[in-house]
């Protein structure tokens, strides 16, 4: 498999029309989680996620011929219309790291304008949507300058590969509805290097599954995902975890093909609690859940017991609860959320999202 390094992607003339490219790319929610990595952003176990819809990043990339003869990356960066030095420093580092894949980046002056659809500080991680949106802009730019990526499947694979180098989970956001990342005998063509689409294999029940995100806390999390992945290296349960993730995936795929919501929900909840269990048993140990996260889980389980409605939860690396349920019970579930869960959310904020159609060039 190619590592996409391509010294031929060099502009031969400085006589280039300035241009711009915009992509809108969604976040995703892993049902089987990626937690633990090796090498250059490679996953210790395969993961499968739902691609979301209303939580997205929109990124505009402007490019023009380089005005100076300097050789590094030339970038101006605006987040929600404001310059942001810490984000810019991260992006320059990332663009340097992919400049063997896109050597023409060093020949251009770049400006990036980026913003999220979800509230600034809602405690929602944005690296998946942000890095996938940028990776898509870079692949479109390559195609615009060199006409190299005509084939849609190849375009998506490269975008997924490049997104992975920015943030592992970002590689899954490229595909509509659902994606799988990581080598597994369960899915032909699966790879550690990029995600593969799973949307077309799903039972229609999952095509627009709802994911309402209940904001238990808006605070920035105390331990980053990068540090969390690092703590898996000497984790006493690491090997058991990676084996468990494979078993869960092996059961999840048939459940999602056949429309077995109950099995899907059981796995989603088990994976969410396992993720947080791993954090609580790391050395040093840490807790990202809040008292209201647990209160919401209890209330949800009681509601499910009483109504028999197939509504389940998941969690990301944070305290906010994702409620997963099919379209046909939306009226009941929203009533339950408004009455019982919304008052437990910080500033009563919850976001309404659902499995969506993937990124869009704007
Ligand atoms: O992509 P990262 O390095 O931000 O890690 C994401 C890890 C989880 O969101 C907790 C799980 C996942 O598979 O998305």
């Amino acid at each position: 498999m190619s590592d996409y390094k391509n010294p031929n992607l060099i502009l031969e003339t400085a006589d280039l029309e300035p241009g711009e490219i915009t992509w809108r790319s969604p976040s995703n929610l892993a049902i089987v989680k990626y937690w633990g990595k090796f090498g250059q952003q490679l996953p210790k176990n395969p993961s499968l996620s739902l691609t979301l819809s209303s939580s997205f990043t929109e990124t505009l990339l402007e490019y023009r011929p380089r005005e100076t003869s300097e050789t590094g990356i030339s970038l101006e960066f605006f987040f929600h219309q404001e310059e942001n030095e810490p984000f810019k420093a991260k992006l320059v580092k990332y663009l340097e790291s992919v400049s063997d894949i896109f050597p023409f980046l060093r020949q251009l002056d770049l400006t990036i304008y980026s913003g999220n659809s979800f509230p600034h500080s809602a405690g929602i991680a944005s690296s998946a949507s942000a890095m996938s949106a940028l990776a898509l802009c870079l692949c479109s730019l390559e195609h615009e300058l060199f006409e190299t990526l005509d084939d849609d499947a190849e375009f998506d694979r490269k975008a997924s590969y490049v997104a992975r180098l920015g943030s592992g989970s970002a590689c899954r956001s490229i595909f509509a509805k659902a994606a799988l990342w990581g080598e597994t005998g369960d899915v032909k063509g699966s790879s550690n290097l990029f995600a593969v689409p799973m949307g077309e294999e799903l039972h229609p029940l999952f095509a627009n599954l709802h994911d309402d995100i209940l904001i238990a806390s808006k605070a920035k999390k105390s331990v980053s995902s990068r540090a969390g992945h690092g703590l898996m290296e000497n984790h006493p349960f690491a090997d058991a975890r990676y084996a468990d993730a494979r078993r869960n995936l092996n059961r999840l795929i048939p459940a999602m093909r056949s429309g077995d919501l109950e099995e899907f929900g059981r796995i989603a909840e088990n994976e969410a609690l396992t993720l947080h269990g791993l954090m609580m048993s790391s050395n040093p140990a840490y807790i990202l859940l809040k008292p209201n996260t647990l209160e919401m889980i209890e209330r949800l389980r009681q509601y499910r017991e009483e109504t028999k409605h197939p509504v389940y939860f998941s969690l990301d690396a944070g305290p906010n609860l994702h409620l997963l349920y099919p379209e046909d019970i939306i009226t009941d579930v929203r009533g339950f959320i408004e009455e019982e869960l919304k008052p437990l959310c910080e500033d009563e904020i919850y976001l309404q999202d659902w499995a969506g159609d993937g990124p869009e060039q704007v």
Side-chain angles (χ1 to χ4, degrees), residues 304-344:
R304 192 163 68 216
E305 183 62 37
E306 284 164 11
T307 60
K308 308 290 179 223
H309 279 332
V311 44
Y312 302 96
F313 73 83
S314 182
L315 295 155
D316 236 321
N320 303 322
L321 200 71
H322 290 246
L323 243 56
L324 303 166
Y325 59 92
E327 173 69 21
D328 62 337
I329 54 170
I330 188 167
T331 311
D332 279 12
V333 175
R334 286 275 164 80
F336 161 66
I337 291 175
E338 289 287 329
E339 207 168 300
E340 290 213 39
L341 302 186
K342 194 171 151 184
L344 297 169

Side-chain angles (χ1 to χ4, degrees), residues 20-26 56-62 112-116 129-144 149 152 155-156 159 173-175 357-362:
E20 59 176 59
I21 288 161
T22 304
W23 275 91
R24 178 182 284 188
S25 187
F56 61 81
T57 297
E58 191 168 300
T59 295
L60 162 66
L61 171 66
E62 278 181 2
I112 293 175
Y113 300 88
S114 193
N116 296 332
S129 53
M131 295 318 296
S132 55
L134 179 56
L136 287 158
C137 287
L138 296 176
C139 289
S140 285
L141 177 56
E142 176 189 319
H143 186 63
E144 210 153 296
L149 292 168
D152 285 350
F155 180 97
D156 286 352
S173 278
I174 302 298
F175 302 99
D357 294 332
E360 198 188 335
Q361 188 164 9
V362 190

Side-chain angles (χ1 to χ4, degrees), residues 341-353:
L341 302 186
K342 194 171 151 184
L344 297 169
C345 294
E346 187 166 351
D347 296 340
E348 303 213 338
I349 294 177
Y350 81 96
L351 311 177
Q352 301 177 349
D353 215 330

Side-chain angles (χ1 to χ4, degrees), residues 52-91:
L52 298 181
S53 184
S54 72
S55 309
F56 61 81
T57 297
E58 191 168 300
T59 295
L60 162 66
L61 171 66
E62 278 181 2
Y63 60 92
R64 57 208 167 277
R66 193 82 183 244
E67 277 175 8
T68 65
S69 59
E70 284 159 40
T71 53
I73 294 291
S74 157
L75 177 70
E76 283 189 83
F77 176 70
F78 297 86
F79 184 65
H80 288 272
Q81 327 311 336
E82 285 179 22
E83 284 187 84
N84 184 315
E85 282 304 321
F87 281 2
K88 177 181 162 177
K90 277 191 196 166
L91 283 180

Side-chain angles (χ1 to χ4, degrees), residues 198-270:
M198 290 294 285
E200 286 186 4
E201 303 195 26
L202 302 187
H203 188 278
L205 255 182
F206 293 100
N208 55 359
L209 197 77
H210 286 272
D211 175 5
D212 288 344
I213 309 167
L214 297 136
I215 308 300
S217 167
K218 301 194 296 182
K220 191 173 174 328
K221 56 192 176 191
S222 53
V223 180
S224 68
S225 285
R226 177 190 292 266
H229 285 291
L231 289 172
M232 286 304 286
E233 262 161 47
N234 295 311
H235 200 292
F237 304 150
D239 291 341
R241 159 59 191 161
Y242 303 137
D244 194 42
R246 285 180 186 276
R247 269 192 303 274
N248 276 340
L249 185 70
N250 179 264
R251 290 177 190 145
L252 179 67
I253 293 171
M256 291 184 77
R257 283 187 180 134
S258 67
D260 186 345
L261 262 184
E262 205 176 313
E263 175 78 338
F264 166 85
R266 197 194 57 73
I267 296 168
E269 295 191 354
N270 176 270

